[in-house]
Amino acid sequence: MGASEENSALFPIFVFTIMALPLVPYTIVKILNTFSKKAMTIHCQCSVCSRSGKYRKSIFKRISNFSTCSNLTLVLLWIVMAVLIYYIKHTSHEVKVFEPFSILGLEHGASDSDIKKAYRRLSIQYHPDKNPDPEAHDYFVEYISRAYQALTDPISRENFEKYGHPDGRQGLQMGIALPPFLLNIDGASGGILLLGIVGVCILLPLVLAVIYLSRSAKYTGNYVMHQTLSAYYYFMKPSLAPSKVLGVFIKAAEFMEIPVRRSDGEPLQKLFMLVRSELNLDLKNIRQEQAKFWKQHPALVKAELLIQAQLTRESKALTPALLRDFRRMLELSPRLLEELVKMALLPRTAQGHGWLRPAIGVVELSQNIIQAVPLSARKVAGGSSEGVAPFLQLPHFSEAIVKKIARKKVRTFQELRDMTLEDRVELLAQVAGLSFTETKDVEMVLEMMPSLTVDITCETEGEEGIQEGDIVTMHVWITLKRGSGLVAALPHAPYYPFFKEENFWLLLADPVSNDVWISQKVSFMDEAVAITAASKAIQELKEVSGASLKETNAAVREAVERVKSGSRLVMGKFQAPGEGNYNLTAFCLCDSWIGCDKKTNLKIKILKRSRAGTRTGALSEEGAGMEEGIEEEEQEEEDEYDDYESEYSEDEEDEKDSKRNGVVPAAGAAAAAESSDNE
């Protein structure tokens, strides 16, 4: 009976231990992640962002952000842990050491007569003949009799003095941390107990494992469905125009799983009328175009209309049910757009190159979704030579204001940014008609916008000049500056209802052939990770080149200082193509801001192979094979800018001409127009 009670007391401790092993470290990691996220949430302070409520720290907002399934489950588990602690504290019994004098109520060294008197007194109180209580009988046998025997019997007393127990040396006792009913398997309860053990220990984990594997098999490591990647791979084309990327993006399987309810019909019809001008419908055959649009799969229709609601800022017209679907789509969008960029950059040619034109289109779609700016705003219209899209991301700006400032010779977004503070305030107040508060909001956003510089070199391993077949290392420093002096910050995005970090894509590409030679994602949010990566890369590069320890440490310190000042190091390798001169362009594209992209021209001369063999080792710092190095051709960028933006307005005409002539426009020419500067 005593052993059973002891085992029962151990069971809560066993459960507590099993729960604490995974729960405590998981909670610590979750708390650390929460604090790290809070440290990075330096966001825009303009009135538009404040009114959006995205950064509002109200009690309701905090509760809604906290009330996720994982957080509620975590709280529930900790409540169970607290209950177990309370139960263990109030029910556990300490192991008592056998003390015969204490049991008989005597002091150590009592005489034999005192021992006999105490025994008689306790016998009258606990002896079975005097007290019929079973507990009294157990206490008399287990404690009083043994204590008396230990003090009066010579052998028992000798054992007690040597081993602390009248029965002699005691063996190690072990208990099973299970409740008593699990140990009593006799009778009819044995079969039920066996079924319970099989169900809890075998069937339940097996069912959970099957459910987990069946669900995880649908997703990749980036939590994107395999079916989505297959669809993106199939529909991705090398000449895919930015205005056509949306049609590929909405074919994600995640969007197809969002239910299309009967009650969605009328609200979607109203939404269609609000965003119809953005759907690229042929106005001459509008009825046929509308009928064709509604004949698509209902999930596709719903997905496109909800994305257009974001681009046109018409989400207020949505019903509560559609608003939930709308928020779900926007929450998934950054992840899906990143996978869509990777799908465009996937090696498709014999040289292992990706496609430039669709990659730029996906990044631009990401910019428009985050800033809630229509794709049509990128068309060349009004007084702006680059479209009004960059202006519309500023608070209180509209197309009418853009036309007003265009009359004052401010036709590009970069011209507005380059103005002095006094001139810009005067322009916004007197010409645009903005109030002092509105002008202040614009200045806040302009100070948050990043300005990029790209310093790029290409070199081989200790050879002067690059020969065909050489392994070339690209070495790029990307530097980010803001008017506010910050490096890591969240973009101004009041119409995007979730936190969105800035990400940049570096693409070394040949715009004429539409080939991307090297691509890499760059982030300025985590300085510690960037310092570690840059230090390791510089150290390996110096060690391979044979530099001394002093030179290596100096180079590492310099790289660390550059990272702390707002730079990021990007390195990559590619195999030199055949002999010839190559006019490459390094694109640095932001997925959150419009008009902040940067491109740098790079001319590389590939020589005919004169050295035997092909080198594959590490690269040294000696000599690069660039004919003229990196050239910042600002005038050439401005000349190409109109062609770049004109593709939005020419898409429909090109499509009509191709339909009449039965010819698809050449991808090379389109890609050349696509690659022009976005600044």
PDB file of all heavy atoms in Angstrom, residues 79-92:
ATOM      1  N   ILE A  79      -0.425  27.104 -17.496  1.00  0.00           N
ATOM      2  CA  ILE A  79      -1.439  26.980 -16.441  1.00  0.00           C
ATOM      3  C   ILE A  79      -1.445  25.561 -15.874  1.00  0.00           C
ATOM      4  O   ILE A  79      -1.524  25.351 -14.655  1.00  0.00           O
ATOM      5  CB  ILE A  79      -2.826  27.361 -16.991  1.00  0.00           C
ATOM      6  CG1 ILE A  79      -2.871  28.860 -17.311  1.00  0.00           C
ATOM      7  CG2 ILE A  79      -3.925  27.004 -16.004  1.00  0.00           C
ATOM      8  CD1 ILE A  79      -4.154  29.304 -17.982  1.00  0.00           C
ATOM      9  N   VAL A  80      -1.353  24.569 -16.760  1.00  0.00           N
ATOM     10  CA  VAL A  80      -1.276  23.177 -16.311  1.00  0.00           C
ATOM     11  C   VAL A  80      -0.026  22.963 -15.458  1.00  0.00           C
ATOM     12  O   VAL A  80      -0.060  22.265 -14.428  1.00  0.00           O
ATOM     13  CB  VAL A  80      -1.293  22.226 -17.516  1.00  0.00           C
ATOM     14  CG1 VAL A  80      -1.064  20.791 -17.080  1.00  0.00           C
ATOM     15  CG2 VAL A  80      -2.613  22.344 -18.274  1.00  0.00           C
ATOM     16  N   MET A  81       1.085  23.573 -15.872  1.00  0.00           N
ATOM     17  CA  MET A  81       2.317  23.458 -15.093  1.00  0.00           C
ATOM     18  C   MET A  81       2.134  24.054 -13.700  1.00  0.00           C
ATOM     19  O   MET A  81       2.591  23.493 -12.690  1.00  0.00           O
ATOM     20  CB  MET A  81       3.451  24.175 -15.829  1.00  0.00           C
ATOM     21  CG  MET A  81       3.877  23.504 -17.118  1.00  0.00           C
ATOM     22  SD  MET A  81       5.134  22.263 -16.882  1.00  0.00           S
ATOM     23  CE  MET A  81       6.547  23.274 -16.539  1.00  0.00           C
ATOM     24  N   ALA A  82       1.466  25.212 -13.618  1.00  0.00           N
ATOM     25  CA  ALA A  82       1.238  25.845 -12.312  1.00  0.00           C
ATOM     26  C   ALA A  82       0.361  24.972 -11.419  1.00  0.00           C
ATOM     27  O   ALA A  82       0.613  24.839 -10.209  1.00  0.00           O
ATOM     28  CB  ALA A  82       0.601  27.217 -12.514  1.00  0.00           C
ATOM     29  N   VAL A  83      -0.666  24.356 -12.007  1.00  0.00           N
ATOM     30  CA  VAL A  83      -1.533  23.456 -11.237  1.00  0.00           C
ATOM     31  C   VAL A  83      -0.734  22.261 -10.719  1.00  0.00           C
ATOM     32  O   VAL A  83      -0.898  21.833  -9.562  1.00  0.00           O
ATOM     33  CB  VAL A  83      -2.726  22.999 -12.097  1.00  0.00           C
ATOM     34  CG1 VAL A  83      -3.525  21.917 -11.383  1.00  0.00           C
ATOM     35  CG2 VAL A  83      -3.628  24.182 -12.430  1.00  0.00           C
ATOM     36  N   LEU A  84       0.136  21.709 -11.553  1.00  0.00           N
ATOM     37  CA  LEU A  84       0.968  20.577 -11.122  1.00  0.00           C
ATOM     38  C   LEU A  84       1.902  20.979  -9.984  1.00  0.00           C
ATOM     39  O   LEU A  84       2.105  20.214  -9.032  1.00  0.00           O
ATOM     40  CB  LEU A  84       1.771  20.041 -12.309  1.00  0.00           C
ATOM     41  CG  LEU A  84       0.994  19.244 -13.357  1.00  0.00           C
ATOM     42  CD1 LEU A  84       1.897  18.913 -14.534  1.00  0.00           C
ATOM     43  CD2 LEU A  84       0.431  17.965 -12.749  1.00  0.00           C
ATOM     44  N   ILE A  85       2.479  22.174 -10.085  1.00  0.00           N
ATOM     45  CA  ILE A  85       3.371  22.636  -9.009  1.00  0.00           C
ATOM     46  C   ILE A  85       2.602  22.759  -7.694  1.00  0.00           C
ATOM     47  O   ILE A  85       3.074  22.338  -6.630  1.00  0.00           O
ATOM     48  CB  ILE A  85       4.015  23.980  -9.401  1.00  0.00           C
ATOM     49  CG1 ILE A  85       4.976  23.783 -10.581  1.00  0.00           C
ATOM     50  CG2 ILE A  85       4.754  24.589  -8.218  1.00  0.00           C
ATOM     51  CD1 ILE A  85       5.538  25.071 -11.134  1.00  0.00           C
ATOM     52  N   TYR A  86       1.407  23.335  -7.765  1.00  0.00           N
ATOM     53  CA  TYR A  86       0.583  23.483  -6.558  1.00  0.00           C
ATOM     54  C   TYR A  86       0.224  22.114  -5.983  1.00  0.00           C
ATOM     55  O   TYR A  86       0.300  21.895  -4.765  1.00  0.00           O
ATOM     56  CB  TYR A  86      -0.674  24.265  -6.903  1.00  0.00           C
ATOM     57  CG  TYR A  86      -1.625  24.448  -5.734  1.00  0.00           C
ATOM     58  CD1 TYR A  86      -1.431  25.470  -4.816  1.00  0.00           C
ATOM     59  CD2 TYR A  86      -2.718  23.589  -5.552  1.00  0.00           C
ATOM     60  CE1 TYR A  86      -2.285  25.635  -3.736  1.00  0.00           C
ATOM     61  CE2 TYR A  86      -3.578  23.744  -4.485  1.00  0.00           C
ATOM     62  CZ  TYR A  86      -3.358  24.767  -3.579  1.00  0.00           C
ATOM     63  OH  TYR A  86      -4.214  24.927  -2.519  1.00  0.00           O
ATOM     64  N   TYR A  87      -0.148  21.178  -6.864  1.00  0.00           N
ATOM     65  CA  TYR A  87      -0.541  19.838  -6.411  1.00  0.00           C
ATOM     66  C   TYR A  87       0.640  19.110  -5.776  1.00  0.00           C
ATOM     67  O   TYR A  87       0.510  18.492  -4.705  1.00  0.00           O
ATOM     68  CB  TYR A  87      -1.089  19.041  -7.588  1.00  0.00           C
ATOM     69  CG  TYR A  87      -1.486  17.625  -7.241  1.00  0.00           C
ATOM     70  CD1 TYR A  87      -2.706  17.356  -6.634  1.00  0.00           C
ATOM     71  CD2 TYR A  87      -0.634  16.561  -7.525  1.00  0.00           C
ATOM     72  CE1 TYR A  87      -3.071  16.059  -6.305  1.00  0.00           C
ATOM     73  CE2 TYR A  87      -0.986  15.258  -7.210  1.00  0.00           C
ATOM     74  CZ  TYR A  87      -2.212  15.015  -6.595  1.00  0.00           C
ATOM     75  OH  TYR A  87      -2.554  13.733  -6.270  1.00  0.00           O
ATOM     76  N   ILE A  88       1.799  19.183  -6.413  1.00  0.00           N
ATOM     77  CA  ILE A  88       2.978  18.489  -5.886  1.00  0.00           C
ATOM     78  C   ILE A  88       3.389  19.077  -4.540  1.00  0.00           C
ATOM     79  O   ILE A  88       3.750  18.354  -3.605  1.00  0.00           O
ATOM     80  CB  ILE A  88       4.139  18.580  -6.893  1.00  0.00           C
ATOM     81  CG1 ILE A  88       3.798  17.776  -8.164  1.00  0.00           C
ATOM     82  CG2 ILE A  88       5.437  18.080  -6.286  1.00  0.00           C
ATOM     83  CD1 ILE A  88       4.766  18.004  -9.299  1.00  0.00           C
ATOM     84  N   LYS A  89       3.297  20.401  -4.439  1.00  0.00           N
ATOM     85  CA  LYS A  89       3.716  21.067  -3.211  1.00  0.00           C
ATOM     86  C   LYS A  89       2.841  20.679  -2.023  1.00  0.00           C
ATOM     87  O   LYS A  89       3.329  20.541  -0.895  1.00  0.00           O
ATOM     88  CB  LYS A  89       3.687  22.580  -3.415  1.00  0.00           C
ATOM     89  CG  LYS A  89       4.153  23.376  -2.205  1.00  0.00           C
ATOM     90  CD  LYS A  89       4.142  24.853  -2.491  1.00  0.00           C
ATOM     91  CE  LYS A  89       4.592  25.641  -1.265  1.00  0.00           C
ATOM     92  NZ  LYS A  89       4.556  27.105  -1.518  1.00  0.00           N
ATOM     93  N   HIS A  90       1.545  20.490  -2.252  1.00  0.00           N
ATOM     94  CA  HIS A  90       0.619  20.249  -1.154  1.00  0.00           C
ATOM     95  C   HIS A  90       0.320  18.763  -0.912  1.00  0.00           C
ATOM     96  O   HIS A  90      -0.382  18.426   0.037  1.00  0.00           O
ATOM     97  CB  HIS A  90      -0.699  20.993  -1.399  1.00  0.00           C
ATOM     98  CG  HIS A  90      -0.582  22.471  -1.241  1.00  0.00           C
ATOM     99  ND1 HIS A  90      -0.062  23.278  -2.228  1.00  0.00           N
ATOM    100  CD2 HIS A  90      -0.893  23.295  -0.193  1.00  0.00           C
ATOM    101  CE1 HIS A  90      -0.083  24.540  -1.820  1.00  0.00           C
ATOM    102  NE2 HIS A  90      -0.576  24.574  -0.588  1.00  0.00           N
ATOM    103  N   THR A  91       0.775  17.901  -1.793  1.00  0.00           N
ATOM    104  CA  THR A  91       0.485  16.473  -1.606  1.00  0.00           C
ATOM    105  C   THR A  91       1.728  15.633  -1.384  1.00  0.00           C
ATOM    106  O   THR A  91       1.622  14.488  -0.942  1.00  0.00           O
ATOM    107  CB  THR A  91      -0.272  15.908  -2.821  1.00  0.00           C
ATOM    108  OG1 THR A  91       0.525  16.086  -4.003  1.00  0.00           O
ATOM    109  CG2 THR A  91      -1.610  16.607  -2.991  1.00  0.00           C
ATOM    110  N   SER A  92       2.893  16.144  -1.732  1.00  0.00           N
ATOM    111  CA  SER A  92       4.108  15.340  -1.581  1.00  0.00           C
ATOM    112  C   SER A  92       4.482  15.230  -0.109  1.00  0.00           C
ATOM    113  O   SER A  92       4.270  16.142   0.689  1.00  0.00           O
ATOM    114  CB  SER A  92       5.263  15.988  -2.359  1.00  0.00           C
ATOM    115  OG  SER A  92       5.525  17.285  -1.853  1.00  0.00           O
TER     116      SER A  92
END
